[in-house]
Amino acid sequence: MPTVQAQLPGVFYRRPSPEAEPYVEDGSAVTEGQTVALIEVMKTFNEVKVDSAGTVVRFLVEDGEEVEVGQDILEISEN
């Protein structure tokens, strides 16, 4: 199953701010280039985008968890 990987080391967030709804949930349809999360590196927020259209199967890391470069963070089934 295809995965989305962290391009930077940092803190993973599923929403743009603490009070906001998550970008996507398990089962959400996504389009190519859609933002699905953020990774914070030294107070800079970097968007995590999907490479292809599909459906979010599940997140592999928790909101607020530290991630490393190349770490799988999200499974997606392609349409």
Side-chain angles (χ1 to χ4, degrees):
M1 182 160 303
T3 60
V4 175
Q5 297 178 331
Q7 299 299 312
L8 301 162
V11 180
F12 174 79
Y13 294 106
R14 292 181 57 184
R15 59 191 81 230
S17 64
E19 65 280 349
E21 294 293 318
Y23 285 105
V24 295
E25 299 280 358
D26 294 353
S28 295
V30 292
T31 58
E32 183 178 346
Q34 180 176 342
T35 299
V36 294
L38 297 173
I39 295 178
E40 178 189 6
V41 181
M42 297 176 60
K43 304 290 184 198
T44 301
F45 292 89
N46 303 275
E47 294 181 336
V48 176
K49 299 182 180 210
V50 293
D51 292 333
S52 59
T55 302
V56 175
V57 175
R58 68 183 175 122
F59 281 89
L60 303 171
V61 295
E62 296 295 322
D63 196 41
E65 185 176 331
E66 294 272 339
V67 294
E68 298 295 326
V69 173
Q71 181 176 345
D72 292 335
I73 55 176
L74 170 72
E75 287 183 346
I76 188 168
S77 65
E78 295 178 325
N79 292 342

